[in-house]
Amino acid sequence: MTYPTITLTKLSQTRKPGTKTAWVTNQTEVREISEAQYNNTVDACPFFRRMGGSETLTHEYTSWGYKVTRIISTRPDRNARSIFKFTFKYS
């Protein structure tokens, strides 16, 4: 029997000093998450938009259907951001 798994890759970035569009990756984290955790992450995006941040969601066709595969979450001060990449597979 195959079990579906979701792998989350989280990149924490800060703005490169003296630039407007260049980012430096400070930390990379890879872990396996449940479908409930995935849904909570995606459903929280409107909340962070109301708080003043910028949330960009990228949808793609996966083996699970048409899902969010990447979220770019920028803080309201625009000096730091987090990139969440989701990988869907059956193991």
Side-chain angles (χ1 to χ4, degrees), residues 8-75:
L8 168 66
T9 305
K10 180 183 175 187
L11 304 171
S12 298
Q13 298 181 332
T14 56
R15 191 177 303 276
K16 188 174 179 180
T19 64
K20 288 185 176 183
T21 58
W23 297 90
V24 177
T25 302
N26 300 329
Q27 184 180 13
T28 303
E29 177 185 344
V30 179
R31 62 186 169 128
E32 222 172 81
I33 61 172
S34 67
E35 189 172 2
Q37 291 171 321
Y38 166 79
N39 291 332
N40 288 339
T41 304
V42 173
D43 293 342
C45 290
F47 170 76
F48 288 113
R49 284 188 185 130
R50 286 192 297 270
M51 295 294 291
S54 173
E55 303 289 319
T56 304
L57 280 68
T58 303
H59 294 80
E60 292 180 6
Y61 287 101
T62 67
S63 60
W64 288 29
Y66 192 63
K67 296 281 191 177
V68 174
T69 56
R70 187 172 74 169
I71 300 173
I72 300 175
S73 176
T74 307
R75 291 187 186 167

